[in-house]
Amino acid sequence: MTLLWIPLLSLIGSVISACTGKLSRNLSTSLTALAPLVALGITLYHAPAVLAGETIRYSLAWIPSIGLDLSLRLDGLSLLFMFMILGIGLLVILYTRYYLSANDSMAKLYSYLMLFMTAMLGIVMSNNVIQLWLFWELTSISSFLLISFWWHKSEARKGARMALAVTGAGGLALLAGLMLLGDIVGSYDLDVILASKAIIQSHDLYEVALVLVLLGAFTKSAQFPFHFWLPHAMAAPTPVSAYLHSATMVKAGIFLLARFYPALAGTETWFILVGLTGLTTLLFGAYIALFKHDLKGLLAYSTISHLGLITLLLGLDTELATVAAIFHIINHATFKASLFMAVGIIDHETGTRDMRKLNGMWRFLPYTATLAMVAAASMAGVPLLNGFLSKEMFFAETLHQQVLGSMSWLIPVLATIAGAFSVAYSARFIHDVFFNGDPIDLPRTPHEPPRYMRVPIEILVVICLLVGMFPHFMVGGILSAASSAVLGKAMPDYEVALWHGFNLPLLMSAMAVAGGLFIYINRKYLFQFQASLPPLNAKKTFERAVLSTISWCQLKISHIENGSLQRYLVVMLGVVLLCAGWPLFEMQELAGAMPRTPVDVHNAIGASLLIIGAIATVIWHRSRVVALLMISIVGLMVSVAFTRFSAPDLALTQLTVEVATVILLMLALFFLPQYTPKESSSLRILRDLSIASTLGVVVASICYALLTRPLNSISDFFIANAKTGGGGTNVVNVILVDFRGFDTLGEITVLGIAALGIFKVLSRIPLYMPASDGEGRPWARERHPILLANISHSLLPLALLVSAYIFLRGHNLPGGGFIAGLVTSIAFILQYMAHGSSWINERFGVNYRKIIASGIGIALFTGVGSWFFDKPFLTTWFDYFDIPFIGKTELASAIVFDLGVYLTVVGATLMILASLGNMTADTQRKEVNI
Amino acid sequence: MELLYASCVGVLVSCGVFLLLRARTFPVVLGLTMISYAVNLFLFSAGRLTINKAVVLGTGADYADPLPQALVLTAIVIGFAMTAFVVILAIRGRADLGSDHVDGHLVKNSAESKEQK
């Protein structure tokens, strides 16, 4: 449980520090530092057990159904990284306090830093690979926020975008790789994956998974050819560069390699891919670093080179190489973070990082200079410093490997050359900045920074020295714990010590130092040569790639999305055609085994009427009133078809809806043109006709195939249980109000929403009121014919009686809330037509929105009501009672639910029709009660 | 019978799709209405064609499939609500844009609206 608190604390710290914007800088810093301090305490508390070889685990079920647990582990490797993340994090927090100017929001930077810390802790502590990936992405996002901290600078924004694009793309590859691994092993649990080396490496997809995981690691750790984002990430504030882009985040890729070492390493592919990538990066970074005039640029390429070194070590096929890799992770983090902080001080004090201007800083900043020189010497691999030890181990291991077969001797040679370059750029860093004459027009005259700004550097440099001189005492324990976690067994017998006698690695070190100094002294010629090469600007290339991708996408989008709805519809219908038509070709036989029903004369007449109506609608579609009449024939025939095929409920519903639809469309024609102009070209009509007929044929074929195949329905359950479980004999209605009552509740809600939407769309509409019909005839002066008015008077009570009857019998005989609601609505619409809306509003004055709301409310509360009887939502209750004069009667809660349906249907239908009708009636728009 | 029924559905789909592809709102609404007839008939046919079968319990031994009927019943009502919504949208579009073209071309500023695209 205490394990969970480590990432949780830093997450809480992120929130806390975000709130410290109004407080003093010191208070803000102290509050921010609190969480990592406690987390470090917890880590230290667990350290003895882990150093003794134990792995502490903690797990919390999260989404067990997809194998995702919140699962943490703490082993030697995690412990090492946690020390770095929390320790250097604390130093960076202190350093930031003095680094940031008063104009920058310190709370924001702290909050991002803590968020990043959470993500990083999450990566190193995850015991579930998907969870690991989530935190991995979180580091990319927090790194994006941190690089773009000075968002007003274009280079910061571009650098941040580039970093996010590269590491984000790698993250996706990693996700794919991890999912493959999970699939191969059958679990996303890290313990299981790490223990399944044999299964993974014998699997066909091992190479694919390996490459995907490596892509993730290499992009994050800025390995060649994905290195280019790191120098541009230097647009971030220097504490961020020190923390993310040298000490921790770029090591996440290395961590990943180390973490999956037990499962993925050991094959030829691994050694070739990891080793060669590392070697290339090592050489490339070391070479380019020498030519960078920007101090942070030099350090960035140096970081790339050192990351390459660690990668190379992990790709060498000896066990001690892995130990050396871990050792170098520690050493690089200490000397590089301190160098970045020193550069931050120089930048802060002089206002520039250009080495052509910065000279002779020794006189101005003697104290900082000493610290920086020690760290730089460690970077170069000078004895008595930690960098020397791991580099020496590195040299020794290059001599023992067999990665390149007979050409393996190349690796130590190239390693020595890279070492020489690293000495050269370290020498340049020291000599150019602190000596080499006088500064050239500096923006500010430098002097020593505040006392506490140097403290983080001092601590790190002291660690460099102590580790360099007493390696076994300082890091022996953690090194052995971390190595055994990576290797999966105890660390090979090896003594990290300062002195191993006169041997080949020592000679290589000496050659590297001598060669480096030689390169530095003769740098003039190298610089000239480098300047004669064509310039390679990664940022411009990247930006160009981004821009061309965007414009290519825009071009493609404009091809598809040109703003024409007709065109979208054609595309969509085409997709429908493909999806629906394709399976037909795979079907052996269209007709199924069911015996056909013979065609009788009634059906033939009905079908021909339907077809004639449909085709007539199309033919006369430009004359809209005629088309409306034609389509109403179709609607009528559909309801006749429902009657014929034993579906009286449907027939009633269709009939009433048909009436409402025709009234609605008639009303609509009042506001719309009554004739459609002839616009479509013949070609367009041909295209549309072919799409329409093909789709018709496809649907007809599917329908025929469906109709001629035997039915295997689940309806027997409903038929068997309608009476006993739902208390009704009309199975359709019982399904609606009981079995599938929840669906019905959703449906009446949609109905209500549609009606409200219509009400909203119609409000404040700029009315277009035609004074005449489409042929120029004025409207009839008699708006409400007396005959209709009188008949409708007497019809209303009758219609309401019918509707009540249909409603009440609905549970047992065809009918129910939907149909009754529609009948009632039509009865009222007739009144509207006969008398006009003002007449209705005077007499009834109902608010249809309230009716809809009460309908949905009643239905909902009927459902909720069953909770009071410890039953699931919408459980029906019914029983039989003897009521005087009426006899034995069934009372069911379903009828209350059906009442809700009824009210919603009435409210929605009337609201739709009345709000439209109201506008035709009142030419001067009055506030009408809808 | 089955062939006739399927042909009816097919004809409705064809006519509906053709109207759906017209450029003015009213034919599109008619097309949608037509397609919803077709869809309802199609869904209903999932219960197969049953002539003179019982629908109410206790009135016969052989029952028509009630499940597609229940599904289609709500579909009809919702279909009406959706048709109504589209119609009202068409009216609003006509009122706001002065044209009943589906792409919402402004009558006066058609050049300007093209530029915006």
Side-chain angles (χ1 to χ4, degrees), chain A residues 173-196:
Chain A
L174 175 66
L175 177 64
L178 293 177
M179 288 175 78
L180 262 183
L181 279 183
D183 203 43
I184 293 170
V185 175
S187 164
Y188 290 121
D189 197 61
L190 195 62
D191 286 325
V192 182
I193 290 179
L194 293 188
S196 317

Side-chain angles (χ1 to χ4, degrees), chain A residues 297-344:
Chain A
L298 185 149
L299 291 183
Y301 275 98
S302 147
T303 304
I304 292 174
S305 157
H306 280 275
L307 291 168
L309 189 154
I310 301 169
T311 309
L312 171 59
L313 277 170
L314 286 170
L316 294 181
D317 53 0
T318 64
E319 287 178 349
L320 268 179
T322 312
V323 181
I326 289 163
F327 193 23
H328 201 66
I329 290 172
I330 307 174
N331 297 337
H332 179 252
T334 48
F335 68 68
K336 196 49 74 58
S338 57
L339 278 173
F340 266 109
M341 290 185 196
V343 165

Side-chain angles (χ1 to χ4, degrees), chain A residues 720-728 734 738-739 876-878:
Chain A
N721 288 290
K723 183 71 182 165
T724 49
V734 176
D738 188 349
F739 292 123
T876 309
W877 165 91
F878 68 94

Side-chain angles (χ1 to χ4, degrees), chain A residues 420-548:
Chain A
F421 272 100
S422 109
V423 171
Y425 66 68
S426 304
R428 183 175 179 217
F429 181 89
I430 295 174
H431 186 250
D432 273 19
V433 176
F434 299 112
F435 306 104
N436 200 20
D438 293 316
I440 303 158
D441 33 278
L442 289 181
R444 284 196 284 273
T445 311
H447 37 74
E448 283 287 347
R451 173 77 192 87
Y452 285 99
M453 195 171 180
R454 288 197 311 259
V455 167
I457 313 182
E458 285 164 6
I459 293 174
L460 289 170
V461 166
V462 165
I463 294 175
C464 283
L465 277 164
L466 287 178
V467 173
M469 285 184 281
F470 313 104
H472 187 72
F473 172 73
M474 288 297 292
V475 293
I478 184 86
L479 196 59
S480 133
S483 307
S484 55
V486 174
L487 292 170
K489 56 184 171 189
M491 186 173 115
D493 202 20
Y494 182 78
E495 178 80 3
V496 266
L498 191 51
W499 183 246
H500 283 283
F502 288 106
N503 53 15
L504 206 49
L506 190 66
L507 182 66
M508 286 164 77
S509 281
M511 277 164 63
V513 172
L517 291 176
F518 177 77
I519 294 171
Y520 180 65
I521 291 162
N522 295 303
R523 65 187 180 283
K524 206 168 60 185
Y525 308 106
L526 256 180
F527 273 68
Q528 276 167 5
F529 170 71
Q530 186 67 15
S532 67
L533 292 178
L536 191 69
N537 190 330
K539 183 154 72 182
K540 274 195 185 136
T541 318
F542 182 80
E543 287 295 319
R544 214 178 300 131
V546 168
L547 286 179
S548 61

Side-chain angles (χ1 to χ4, degrees), chain A residues 847-884:
Chain A
N847 182 330
Y848 296 127
R849 275 167 292 167
K850 284 186 183 156
I851 295 188
I852 297 175
S854 59
I856 296 176
I858 287 172
L860 195 65
F861 286 116
T862 321
V864 174
S866 42
W867 282 346
F868 294 106
F869 301 95
D870 263 348
K871 293 278 163 53
F873 188 67
L874 271 173
T875 309
T876 309
W877 165 91
F878 68 94
D879 209 342
Y880 298 90
F881 297 93
D882 264 324
I883 299 174

